[in-house]
Amino acid sequence: APAAGRFPEASGLPSSFSLRGFRNPELNETFTANSAVTVQGGVTYWDMHMRHFMYYQRREKRWVLTPRHDDGNDVLAEVQQGDTRGIAFQKGQENTWQEYAGDQWVTVVVQMFAAGSAPPRAGE
């Protein structure tokens, strides 16, 4: 299994993983692969409620998180057609992300855990 951190855009990706460290609690979730829904030929990962998904931007060589819908727009359809929308993206070092929080981009340190290896959340 690949190590936690920067998962390469290749076969052998984990079937699901958890993210921790975002300011938006809706992004600190477990995301599960959905090979039936692809972006730029790559698998997408979805939260349990199908509200947010993660996809790999080949040109930028980074993972991006985005809501499924935004202001009535179908973001999935937009990124499948080449748009690069997102509310968080991996930047440089594998655990460093940029997240749109409030009305500005902020740097956050995010931990990615392969399925089954995430520590329990506080209160669980």
Side-chain angles (χ1 to χ4, degrees):
R6 183 181 293 275
F7 295 124
E9 47 115 8
S11 59
L13 291 171
S15 61
S16 65
F17 57 88
S18 298
L19 300 175
R20 301 287 186 273
F22 289 109
R23 291 188 180 187
N24 178 350
E26 291 184 359
L27 303 181
N28 294 319
E29 292 290 338
T30 297
F31 289 79
T32 303
N34 183 342
S35 58
V37 180
T38 61
V39 172
Q40 299 180 21
V43 65
T44 55
Y45 286 82
W46 294 80
D47 69 355
M48 178 174 55
H49 302 289
M50 302 293 284
R51 290 188 198 129
H52 291 89
F53 69 97
M54 188 166 79
Y55 68 100
Y56 190 78
Q57 289 179 343
R58 290 180 187 271
R59 182 177 301 152
E60 302 296 333
K61 297 183 178 161
R62 66 185 182 189
W63 287 101
V64 177
L65 278 163
T66 190
R68 171 66 168 91
H69 295 97
D70 184 35
D71 291 331
N73 295 319
D74 183 347
V75 179
L76 174 62
E78 292 174 0
V79 298
Q80 285 176 322
Q81 295 169 12
D83 200 344
T84 57
R85 295 184 62 177
I87 57 172
F89 62 89
Q90 206 169 27
K91 181 178 182 189
Q93 298 174 329
E94 55 190 43
N95 291 335
T96 303
W97 287 66
Q98 289 289 299
E99 177 184 6
Y100 196 74
D103 61 354
Q104 64 183 345
W105 288 99
V106 296
T107 300
V108 292
V109 176
V110 175
Q111 296 181 351
M112 299 173 76
F113 301 92
S117 65
R121 292 184 195 197
E124 285 186 358

